[in-house]
Amino acid sequence: MTWSMNLSRLRGNARLYAKLQLIQLRTVVEYRADFWIGILGASLMHGAGLVFIVALFGQIDELGGWSAWEVAVLYGLTLIPAGLRELFADGPWLLRSLVNSGEFDRLLVRPVSPAMQVATRLASIHGVGQLSLGLTLLILGTTRSGMDWTLWKAIFLLVSVLSSLGLLIAIGFLVNMIGFWEPSAQSAIPTAYAMLIDFAKFPLDIYSNVIKVLVTVVAPYAFISYFPALVLLDKETPWRWLGFASPLVTLLAVLLTSWLWRKALNRYQGVGH
Amino acid sequence: MTTLFNILITFIWVFILYALWDAAFSETGAIAGYSWDEMRTYILLAYGINALVGWRVASQMMGTIRTGEITRELTRPLNYRSTQLAAAAGMSVVEGLISLVLILVLGTLLFDVQPPDSPVAAALFAVALLAGFVIKALCIFLISLLCFWTLNSVGLMWAQQAVISVLSGTLIPLAMMPGALRVVAEVLPLRGIVSTPLQIYLGKAQGWDLAGLLALQFGWLAVLWFFSDWAWRKAFNAVEIQGG
Amino acid sequence: MDTNAAPIIEAKGLTKHFRRPVKEPGLKGAVRHLFRPAYADVVAVEGVNLSILPGESVAYVGPNGAGKSTTVKLLTGILVPTSGRVTVNGLTPFENRVENARRIGVVFGQRTQLWWDIPVGESFRLLGDIYELPDETYRASFGELIDVLDLEPLLRVPARQLSLGQRMRCDLAASLLHRPPILYLDEPTIGLDVSVKARFREFIRYMHRERGLTVMLTSHDLGDIEELCDRMVMIDNGRIVYDGALSEVTTRFGWERAVHLTLTEPDESALEAASRALGNRPGAVATQPEPTMVAVTFDSRETTAGELIRDLATALAVTDIRIEEPTAESIIRRLYEGDLVFEQAE
């Protein structure tokens, strides 16, 4: 295949992706009551953590060297990619049920990559709640904490949000792919792994070493909030450079995921075990 | 196994809160009248208690209405509200035992949990805990009635969890809440689920304060008991008339 | 049908074995399996040869677990065969899964391919995008299907609100929107009521006759098979046991027949007398379903009806005799029920 053919194929796929997701989102919006309850539920859930921060900082001034507004930046950096992922790539969470029910067969008799069909299978409007809350916190946090906005910081922010989104999508696939190997797998294992993201809402400095390693290496959520925030807020720590490593971590996660995805597909089709 | 995992998931926040308060208390000796020893105990017990009526109970109650299984339930010659409560109690035995074990293990190994303030406090704690359990089950029952009107039970579930975890005092003790929120939380019945039992456990409420807390809790319990039955009838009739 | 044409679906020695983990129950078994996994080889399809010409409509039948679904999955590229060759539209499905997918339509009876929550019309539009149909083709194809299947009133309804019959109609349209030359139907009429079934069959017949659609149908419904298919392929235990015209299945497997004798009057001892009279006839079994009726089933390869009647007429007082010929339907039904064993077809 030539380069230009590849490119047009990619464009076609991107267009299809957008169409699939937008139609789903539009439909959800049409069910008024369900839509608002979804938004309300999601906002309350993430707002609860916020209430906690407000209460906490009503009692103390600093948390492990981080001010309230700086923690808001961490919170925002976590919620924004999480909200985007919910909006545009919530499908992997249906993967296990697709495989279990045999509905995955259907994806294999369509002329589009199964990974894309899985990713677009679900679009959760709840993501709007997370996204808007996250954006608010990020904007308030960066301005109130006296951060210097420069062009390159804006670019850095954009790149790290995108790379965080990539990481979260990869993780979504990764944890749910367990369904290919263990069809009856505990639904709680993927959920638990995904929920470790809550650790990323607060500065890593306050955690024990076990948790630090957990959210840096095992479930690298620190790369979506803490490390990029070190760069954005000009924190002087020896770990600051890791903020630039986020795209690399995403790349590794994506490579690992696509390798495993291919193995999973082969297994499903009964090639090699 | 699934139950164990689900409870463990909620305990992620126990570790987060522990780390947060650990950092906070490193700067000061007491916050809003709580010492670090008391705070540790509060965090762990609060999550353990809140796990009692968990995700499973709520999703079961909502599922009954959403899937139309409700029509079968109604053919039984029993009060629907009471059967739902009984089912919740049954499920909570398992969840309760698991979270009790988790609390004991974590409490002795990591958290160094404080014992109850006094034997009397321990006894009254048990009473308040039981009342709190019924209050929470009734609240979830009331919320599940909304499933007559919406398909989005996940949204309801989240909303319900979030509101309860804040207003019950699970996430943060009432005493530390900012002004207006604190007033709201102190008046509403949800404090009876976690905050009231724990205030008694830690000896934060004595004498008339304690009596007042219990009176408020049982008052709300009575109100919710009758209101839930009435609301159930209303909701069911309304939907039936609509032909939904 | 052009009998000189190259086959559109061809399988040679198609074989699929599954490796199933063998686990002992309980935690101990699970742990042991982790360290020393044991597997059992399960044969799903063994040496299947199949050649279907363009425009044929073929019923693929067999009892549950015989290998029907596995064969369909091998032909559609969902599964990769253990050995053997398969060619569909000149492509090997599992190697060119995506290309193959453009040229086939698949209806899985119990599962819909419509998006559950979005209106049917939008589902069609999405499918048009997925199959990259040019606008003109999409409009023409969509228009025809809407018309023939009478889908206009359903376009604004989300799939989850459709009745089973409505959903089947929509699913048919969804599977044929990209105008595939081949349509696979896997148990399409499960749960449908009689009138919906009739409508479904009428539509498939129309597409088959007017559009030259090649149809491969797996079904438990004998009506589907009789009304839609010229040819029947039977599979049992992973092997093809019959491949030919539906009407000819009786000459091949219809050796089991029955003679019904009506007696002049109710007779308690008739069964005993009949059994005595049949004593030396191998494979002949008498029953007495009613006091005035004796039925004898026999194997036409070993005995003739004439010989039996001669024996029985002397032993019993008979007013009427009826010889029951097996129908294709009864043979297939008994195949499904598993009480008829087939020899392998040469």
Side-chain angles (χ1 to χ4, degrees):
Chain A
M1 230 190 256
T2 64
W3 186 203
S4 73
M5 266 177 78
N6 268 329
L7 204 65
S8 83
R9 174 122 218 111
L10 196 68
R11 258 213 312 273
N13 272 340
R15 225 188 353 251
L16 181 58
Y17 195 103
K19 264 190 187 161
L20 282 166
Q21 291 302 73
L22 288 178
I23 287 195
Q24 297 212 44
L25 288 174
R26 209 187 61 208
T27 316
V28 181
V29 175
E30 279 166 11
Y31 296 104
R32 279 282 162 77
D34 289 5
F35 168 71
W36 286 114
I37 287 174
I39 300 277
L40 181 77
S43 307
L44 283 174
M45 193 163 78
H46 300 288
L50 211 59
V51 169
F52 173 76
I53 296 184
V54 173
L56 180 70
F57 280 97
Q59 309 293 335
I60 58 169
D61 302 324
E62 258 198 357
L63 185 70
W66 292 64
S67 72
W69 294 115
E70 287 173 336
V71 173
V73 173
L74 286 178
Y75 228 90
L77 284 175
T78 314
L79 290 184
I80 292 169
L84 288 172
R85 189 203 60 75
E86 267 200 308
L87 271 173
F88 298 112
D90 217 10
W93 286 90
L94 296 179
L95 184 59
R96 277 171 295 146
S97 84
L98 285 175
V99 172
N100 269 332
S101 66
E103 265 181 84
F104 196 76
D105 285 356
R106 167 60 65 189
L107 310 193
L108 291 174
V109 294
R110 281 188 182 148
V112 177
S113 103
M116 181 167 126
Q117 293 184 65
V118 169
T120 56
R121 188 88 185 179
L122 185 67
S124 300
I125 197 78
H126 317 137
V128 174
Q130 284 205 65
L131 184 61
S132 42
L133 190 60
L135 281 171
T136 314
L137 285 174
L138 183 74
I139 293 167
L140 282 177
T142 46
T143 41
R144 295 289 176 85
S145 63
M147 187 192 112
D148 307 320
W149 271 107
T150 57
L151 179 64
W152 90 261
K153 271 193 183 172
I155 296 170
F156 175 83
L157 179 66
L158 190 69
V159 171
S160 44
V161 166
L162 287 178
S163 103
S164 303
L165 176 60
L167 181 65
L168 291 183
I169 294 176
I171 287 177
F173 269 99
L174 205 60
V175 294
N176 284 292
M177 262 192 267
I178 193 172
F180 283 105
W181 280 271
E182 283 293 325
S184 58
Q186 291 297 335
S187 64
I189 294 173
T191 314
Y193 190 91
M195 277 194 64
L196 292 176
I197 197 176
D198 284 343
F199 282 117
K201 292 172 177 168
F202 302 97
L204 225 54
D205 311 63
I206 62 165
Y207 298 124
S208 65
N209 286 335
V210 177
I211 294 177
K212 279 182 187 152
V213 171
L214 184 72
V215 292
T216 311
V217 182
V218 182
Y221 292 117
F223 286 94
I224 69 174
S225 64
Y226 179 73
F227 293 125
L230 291 180
V231 176
L232 281 175
L233 299 171
D234 297 306
K235 290 267 177 189
E236 292 305 326
T237 88
W239 301 103
R240 190 167 174 265
W241 60 275
L242 279 173
F244 299 99
S246 294
L248 198 67
V249 173
T250 301
L251 185 69
L252 284 176
V254 169
L255 287 177
L256 174 68
T257 306
S258 45
W259 176 71
L260 269 172
W261 178 253
R262 226 159 291 140
K263 291 207 78 135
L265 273 192
N266 281 343
R267 189 187 158 86
Y268 189 87
Q269 296 189 277
V271 193
H273 293 274
Chain B
M1 279 302 267
T2 316
T3 319
L4 176 67
F5 272 111
N6 282 333
I7 293 173
L8 269 176
I9 289 170
T10 62
F11 273 72
I12 286 177
W13 268 88
V14 173
F15 288 101
I16 294 179
L17 290 173
Y18 180 88
L20 287 168
W21 288 115
D22 193 10
F25 276 96
S26 69
E27 290 173 21
T28 165
I31 297 176
Y34 282 81
S35 70
W36 177 220
D37 285 343
E38 289 170 333
M39 198 62 215
R40 277 200 313 268
T41 308
Y42 190 97
I43 296 168
L44 185 65
L45 291 185
Y47 266 81
I49 294 170
N50 200 29
L52 270 181
V53 187
W55 184 271
R56 224 153 54 95
V57 171
S59 55
Q60 204 257 343
M61 282 190 191
M62 294 187 183
T64 319
I65 293 177
R66 213 161 39 90
T67 58
E69 209 184 298
I70 186 104
T71 44
R72 177 142 41 90
E73 290 285 333
L74 291 175
T75 59
R76 299 183 189 173
L78 297 164
N79 180 306
Y80 177 70
R81 195 259 339 268
S82 304
T83 45
Q84 291 290 300
L85 275 190
M91 282 188 204
S92 301
V93 171
V94 182
E95 297 186 347
L97 284 177
I98 293 174
S99 71
L100 183 71
V101 171
L102 272 175
I103 288 174
L104 285 177
V105 172
L106 285 176
T108 45
L109 291 182
L110 287 171
F111 282 70
D112 188 20
V113 163
Q114 304 285 296
D117 190 51
S118 66
V120 177
L124 288 175
F125 164 74
V127 172
L129 189 64
L130 201 66
F133 168 85
V134 182
I135 289 177
K136 185 171 181 188
L138 285 172
C139 288
I140 292 179
F141 174 82
L142 278 168
I143 292 166
S144 75
L145 292 182
L146 292 174
C147 282
F148 277 121
W149 288 279
T150 176
L151 291 167
N152 195 337
S153 57
V154 177
L156 281 182
M157 202 87 106
W158 287 347
Q160 165 260 114
Q161 273 197 325
V163 170
I164 291 180
S165 81
V166 172
L167 292 180
S168 68
T170 308
L171 208 51
I172 191 163
L174 264 51
M176 297 184 191
M177 289 183 179
L181 184 67
R182 180 174 174 173
V183 175
V184 173
E186 281 182 341
V187 176
L188 288 179
L190 296 175
R191 73 178 297 183
I193 300 167
V194 170
S195 176
T196 301
L198 279 182
Q199 274 181 286
I200 297 171
Y201 182 97
L202 292 172
K204 295 270 167 199
Q206 305 278 3
W208 284 111
D209 281 353
L210 195 154
L213 275 181
L214 283 176
L216 183 68
Q217 198 188 19
F218 276 89
W220 268 120
L221 180 61
V223 171
L224 286 171
W225 183 265
F226 292 109
F227 178 67
S228 60
D229 209 29
W230 176 83
W232 149 249
R233 264 180 260 258
K234 275 278 170 202
F236 184 67
N237 289 338
V239 171
E240 222 183 17
I241 288 160
Q242 282 171 20
Chain C
M1 198 196 315
D2 181 2
T3 42
N4 293 320
I8 192 166
I9 299 175
E10 189 162 39
K12 285 225 169 78
L14 194 58
T15 298
K16 180 73 190 174
H17 294 190
F18 288 110
R19 212 171 61 140
R20 295 254 156 78
V22 182
K23 281 186 204 172
E24 284 166 50
L27 187 63
K28 206 172 128 197
V31 171
R32 184 174 301 162
H33 183 79
L34 210 57
F35 294 105
R36 291 180 57 191
Y39 296 95
D41 201 48
V42 180
V43 178
V45 170
E46 183 76 43
V48 160
N49 297 320
L50 202 61
S51 173
I52 296 173
L53 297 172
E56 271 196 287
S57 66
V58 176
Y60 196 60
V61 303
N64 284 333
K68 279 180 310 202
S69 291
T70 306
T71 312
V72 173
K73 285 181 184 179
L74 289 166
L75 296 179
T76 49
I78 293 171
L79 288 178
V80 177
T82 310
S83 66
R85 276 196 319 112
V86 51
T87 317
V88 176
N89 285 311
L91 297 168
T92 306
F94 67 92
E95 282 171 3
N96 307 64
R97 198 176 45 73
V98 169
E99 261 320 298
N100 179 61
R102 283 184 205 287
R103 306 188 204 171
I104 58 169
V106 188
V107 174
F108 293 114
Q110 286 129 308
R111 299 181 217 131
T112 180
Q113 67 157 317
L114 305 164
W115 281 259
W116 201 238
D117 288 320
I118 72 175
V120 173
E122 302 274 16
S123 275
F124 289 150
R125 284 234 312 264
L126 285 177
L127 285 168
D129 289 328
I130 283 180
Y131 286 92
E132 294 173 334
L133 301 181
D135 270 358
E136 238 167 89
T137 320
Y138 174 77
R139 268 197 296 272
S141 182
F142 178 73
E144 184 190 6
L145 290 165
I146 294 298
D147 216 34
V148 181
L149 286 164
D150 187 21
L151 298 181
E152 191 63 52
L154 304 179
L155 293 178
R156 301 183 61 84
V157 183
R160 63 179 155 82
Q161 289 176 8
L162 297 175
S163 73
L164 203 58
Q166 291 170 330
R167 213 177 73 200
M168 173 48 66
R169 266 152 60 206
C170 294
D171 256 308
L172 276 173
S175 305
L176 292 170
L177 202 58
H178 56 292
R179 304 202 150 158
I182 303 176
L183 179 64
Y184 297 97
L185 297 160
D186 193 2
E187 300 291 353
T189 54
I190 280 189
L192 298 184
D193 65 44
V194 181
S195 68
V196 178
K197 267 186 198 170
R199 203 161 168 190
F200 159 80
R201 290 170 189 159
E202 192 190 327
F203 172 76
I204 297 294
R205 262 204 307 274
Y206 166 81
M207 291 306 287
H208 173 55
R209 300 229 171 100
E210 306 296 316
R211 295 275 173 271
L213 184 69
T214 307
V215 177
M216 182 158 176
L217 163 85
T218 74
S219 181
H220 272 81
D221 190 305
L222 296 161
D224 289 349
I225 298 164
E226 279 179 338
E227 287 190 37
L228 295 177
C229 301
D230 335 309
R231 178 177 158 195
M232 182 168 78
V233 176
M234 260 191 209
I235 185 168
D236 195 19
N237 283 323
R239 292 164 200 271
I240 288 185
V241 291
Y242 178 79
D243 183 353
L246 178 59
S247 52
E248 274 164 33
V249 77
T250 46
T251 53
R252 183 156 195 136
F253 297 110
W255 61 75
E256 215 181 63
R257 304 194 179 183
V259 177
H260 297 266
L261 304 130
T262 310
L263 308 177
T264 47
E265 56 186 8
D267 184 355
E268 293 284 311
S269 61
L271 186 60
E272 206 191 343
S275 300
R276 210 174 319 115
L278 293 169
N280 54 352
R281 298 275 172 213
V285 179
T287 52
Q288 190 169 14
E290 291 164 39
T292 56
M293 168 85 74
V294 170
V296 180
T297 57
F298 65 101
D299 185 335
S300 67
R301 294 168 302 183
E302 306 199 21
T303 320
T304 64
E307 288 169 323
L308 275 181
I309 292 165
R310 199 186 56 213
D311 291 351
L312 293 167
T314 53
L316 302 167
V318 177
T319 57
D320 196 15
I321 295 173
R322 186 165 59 84
I323 301 174
E324 190 183 296
E325 289 282 333
T327 59
E329 193 185 314
S330 66
I331 290 172
I332 296 166
R333 181 166 297 137
R334 300 194 57 187
L335 170 76
Y336 278 132
E337 284 161 3
D339 62 351
L340 196 56
V341 180
F342 288 81
E343 293 148 14
Q344 207 191 325
E346 296 83 86

